[in-house]
Amino acid sequence: MSENRSAMMENIKTVLVIVLIAGGAAALLAMVKLATADAIAAAELAETKKGVSLVMPKDVKVDVTKTIEMNNGEKAEVYYAGLNDAGEVTAIAVKTYSKKGYSGKIGVLVGYTGLESPETLKVNRIYILSHAETPGLGAKINVCQQESDPEKCDGAFWTKYWQLPVDETTLSVTKDNPNGAIVAITSATISTRAITGSVLETGLFVKENLDKIKAELLKANAAQGDK
Amino acid sequence: MSAWKEFMKGIWEQNPVFRLVLGMCPVLAVTTSAIDAIGMGLSATFVLTMSNLSVSLLRKGIPPRVRLPAFIVIIATFVTIVDMVLKAYMFDLHKSLGLFIPLIVVNCVILGRAEAFASKNKPIFSIIDGLGMGLGFTLALFILGSIREVLGNGTIFGASILAEGMDPILLFILPPGAFVSLGFLIAGMNAIEERRKTNG
């Protein structure tokens, strides 16, 4: 009986120790999270700013604090207006994400131009904000992103999308549709499909709601500009 | 036990990369540039030192049966801290190291030192062991990263060092370059060690 009891005590002690260690770890992490939350938010904003300025054509003015959120199907996307000197929206950058990556969400910024009519809409360029794809394979989506001249990034992932029109045929991976414009990264078809999918999906949404989005962006700009 | 000896063993005699050949995954993967190598090495050093310290402090309280889960929880905690701090203050480095930061959790150097050293030794020596091993790891990564960056990209810390008209050897940035460089470095170290033994 007493032997059983001591074995029992031993088990309880084991469980307690593990619970205590896990609890201590959780407390420590909570403190670090609180301490770094502001800095992480600031760093992410800076990254978004840099990304937005890269995906937009050079001749537009962008203020990343003036945004609207749109609900594209099931996900919320953030829209940034690129304004010309006359104050018209001539480019849109959209912050979206794909859940279909090989490992976790892929955050993507897409710049669209040709906003005169839904038919002329095209992708200006894309920028990968965040990803957790396999290093050496899917992580190649990140290559040469800081460069603004596609000529200098021979074959880099983002250059595949450079200036493509928004339609289902062009924005598809050649493995799925021989007429598509996107050749998948070797051994990273899943990552390529995920990003191509969200560029297309978002593009079609912009196409359908073009006037509404432009109006909303102008409204947001005017409203926040007054403050 | 001399503290200096404990420290130096990680740098040379038991260098985790060149002598123990542990934790090869980040060694081969993130050494395409000197700066990434240093970032990775120092992150691992921090995790290694802190986990060695914690494991050593708790070594008498952790029942042997659950020591591995306990060690992993401790290591994972410090890795997550590194991940958050890097993201907050060194965003670009965090982005280029990407998945390799979370993967420090499964770097066998760290669990290996917790199990083989920290769980049996006093906190002060465990810290020294962690620092020595960590810096030895960093040094190895840095040497490998510099060689690959210089030969494969023609730059060091991003600054170009090639004369006009010279082309870098792309192979060194690619995975085979990692294996080739590592092989030569280990061979060189073995040669030096051999000479030391026959002379001493």
Side-chain angles (χ1 to χ4, degrees), chain A residues 13-158:
Chain A
K13 193 193 151 204
T14 305
V15 172
L16 262 180
V17 168
I18 281 289
V19 169
L20 280 178
I21 290 177
L28 190 60
L29 285 179
M31 282 189 312
V32 176
K33 188 170 171 81
L34 280 180
T36 54
D38 289 345
I40 290 180
E44 276 171 353
L45 182 67
E47 174 74 0
T48 304
K49 270 187 187 165
K50 196 169 69 183
V52 169
S53 73
L54 281 168
V55 299
M56 292 279 208
K58 284 207 180 63
D59 56 351
V60 299
K61 263 195 328 217
V62 192
D63 184 345
V64 297
T65 58
K66 289 168 187 170
T67 60
I68 53 164
E69 264 193 52
M70 280 268 179
N71 210 355
N72 168 9
E74 56 177 29
K75 62 185 169 188
E77 297 177 325
V78 185
Y79 288 71
Y80 306 87
L83 301 173
N84 65 7
D85 289 336
E88 293 161 329
V89 182
T90 56
I92 297 175
V94 187
K95 188 172 164 185
T96 183
Y97 60 85
S98 170
K99 284 184 188 163
K100 292 181 184 153
Y102 188 70
S103 126
K105 273 188 191 176
I106 304 176
V108 192
L109 265 173
V110 196
Y112 295 97
T113 50
L115 305 183
E116 298 77 33
S117 76
E119 286 72 39
T120 54
L121 186 71
K122 62 178 184 181
V123 176
N124 187 51
R125 115 161 234 194
I126 67 159
Y127 183 86
I128 307 299
L129 280 174
S130 61
H131 74 91
E133 301 300 285
T134 319
L137 301 173
K140 283 185 188 154
I141 55 177
N142 219 1
V143 166
C144 205
Q145 287 215 103
Q146 309 307 329
E147 187 56 60
S148 57
D149 181 1
E151 300 280 318
K152 289 188 186 151
C153 290
D154 190 29
F157 185 70
W158 68 265

Side-chain angles (χ1 to χ4, degrees), chain A residues 10-11 13-14 17-18 21-22 25 28-29 32-33 35-36 39-40 43-44 47 50 127-130 132-135 142 145-146, chain B residues 29 58 60-63 65-66 69-70 73-74 76-78 80-81 83-85 87-89 91-92 95-100 103:
Chain A
E10 195 58 34
N11 278 343
K13 193 193 151 204
T14 305
V17 168
I18 281 289
I21 290 177
L28 190 60
L29 285 179
V32 176
K33 188 170 171 81
T36 54
I40 290 180
E44 276 171 353
E47 174 74 0
K50 196 169 69 183
Y127 183 86
I128 307 299
L129 280 174
S130 61
E133 301 300 285
T134 319
N142 219 1
Q145 287 215 103
Q146 309 307 329
Chain B
L58 297 170
K60 288 183 181 129
I62 300 176
R65 271 194 297 177
V66 291
V73 170
I74 291 169
T77 307
F78 290 112
T80 312
I81 290 175
D83 195 47
M84 289 196 277
V85 170
K87 196 168 183 190
Y89 302 107
F91 197 84
D92 287 335
K95 207 174 170 190
S96 80
L97 292 178
L99 202 57
F100 284 103
L103 279 178

Side-chain angles (χ1 to χ4, degrees), chain B:
Chain B
M1 202 189 294
S2 123
W4 181 245
K5 222 177 120 200
E6 284 305 321
F7 179 74
M8 282 311 287
K9 75 164 194 264
I11 309 279
W12 182 268
E13 253 166 76
Q14 293 187 32
N15 184 297
V17 175
F18 295 140
R19 310 297 298 186
L20 306 181
V21 200
L22 278 177
M24 284 298 108
C25 177
V27 170
L28 297 169
V30 297
T31 51
T32 49
S33 76
I35 192 74
D36 282 8
I38 291 182
M40 179 69 199
L42 292 182
S43 308
T45 305
F46 171 79
V47 174
L48 187 53
T49 309
M50 295 306 287
S51 74
N52 262 8
L53 170 65
S54 319
V55 166
S56 179
L57 285 173
L58 297 170
R59 71 187 189 281
K60 288 183 181 129
I62 300 176
R65 271 194 297 177
V66 291
R67 65 182 196 289
L68 290 181
F71 295 168
I72 287 290
V73 170
I74 291 169
I75 295 167
T77 307
F78 290 112
V79 169
T80 312
I81 290 175
V82 168
D83 195 47
M84 289 196 277
V85 170
L86 278 186
K87 196 168 183 190
Y89 302 107
M90 299 165 96
F91 197 84
D92 287 335
L93 182 65
H94 182 269
K95 207 174 170 190
S96 80
L97 292 178
L99 202 57
F100 284 103
I101 293 293
L103 279 178
I104 296 176
V105 178
V106 290
N107 188 320
C108 34
V109 177
I110 292 165
L111 187 60
R113 294 325 287 173
E115 168 79 5
F117 195 93
S119 63
K120 301 186 183 97
N121 288 287
K122 288 197 183 115
I124 180 76
F125 286 113
S126 300
I127 292 181
I128 293 168
D129 176 75
L131 278 176
M133 282 288 166
L135 293 177
F137 185 69
T138 310
L139 188 70
L141 255 68
F142 171 65
I143 294 173
L144 204 52
S146 312
I147 292 175
R148 293 181 65 196
E149 191 182 342
V150 167
L151 294 179
N153 210 14
T155 60
I156 183 76
F157 291 110
S160 180
I161 51 163
L162 284 188
E164 199 67 29
M166 279 165 79
D167 275 335
I169 313 162
L170 187 65
L171 177 81
F172 278 90
I173 288 292
L174 303 174
F179 285 100
V180 171
S181 319
L182 183 66
F184 274 107
L185 284 170
I186 294 181
M189 236 176 129
N190 283 345
I192 296 174
E193 208 38 22
E194 200 112 304
R195 192 162 298 175
R196 251 182 24 160
K197 265 189 208 138
T198 47
N199 288 352

